[in-house]
Amino acid sequence: MPTWCVYILRCSDRTLYTGITADIEERLATHQGGTASKYTRARLPVRLVYQEPHPDRSSASKREAAIKKLSRSAKLALIRPR
């Protein structure tokens, strides 16, 4: 059973994109290739700045939704190195 991951990308225009995946390396490659999402395709290149493992898709989706509701400053605090 795959481990799911919530991730945050920093786009070339410094915006943040949040998503989920079961294969972070493959998903990052599709983002960089411009085929993962319309949002990131217009803001290449992107850089992975945060990832958080989850045991299943459901918990990853719930966390993704919670992160997307955060303010930009809260997201920046989340990705800040500790």
Side-chain angles (χ1 to χ4, degrees):
M1 179 170 253
T3 299
W4 286 80
C5 177
V6 177
Y7 63 93
I8 300 177
L9 304 176
R10 184 182 306 270
C11 301
S12 64
D13 63 357
R14 313 233 356 117
T15 58
L16 300 172
Y17 175 88
T18 305
I20 66 167
T21 186
D23 186 339
I24 191 67
E25 291 177 12
E26 180 182 328
R27 188 66 174 157
L28 186 55
T30 60
H31 277 292
Q32 293 291 19
T35 59
S37 81
K38 187 189 281 189
Y39 186 87
T40 58
R41 180 173 46 238
R43 293 163 174 83
L44 293 174
V46 296
R47 184 169 56 98
L48 180 66
V49 293
Y50 181 79
Q51 59 183 357
E52 183 180 295
H54 287 268
D56 53 53
R57 183 183 182 120
S58 176
S59 65
S61 292
K62 288 175 186 173
R63 180 63 171 146
E64 176 192 25
I67 290 173
K68 286 182 173 186
K69 289 180 183 177
L70 295 175
S71 66
R72 178 174 173 79
S73 60
K75 290 177 190 176
L76 291 172
L78 179 66
I79 67 176
R80 188 174 307 130
R82 310 224 186 293

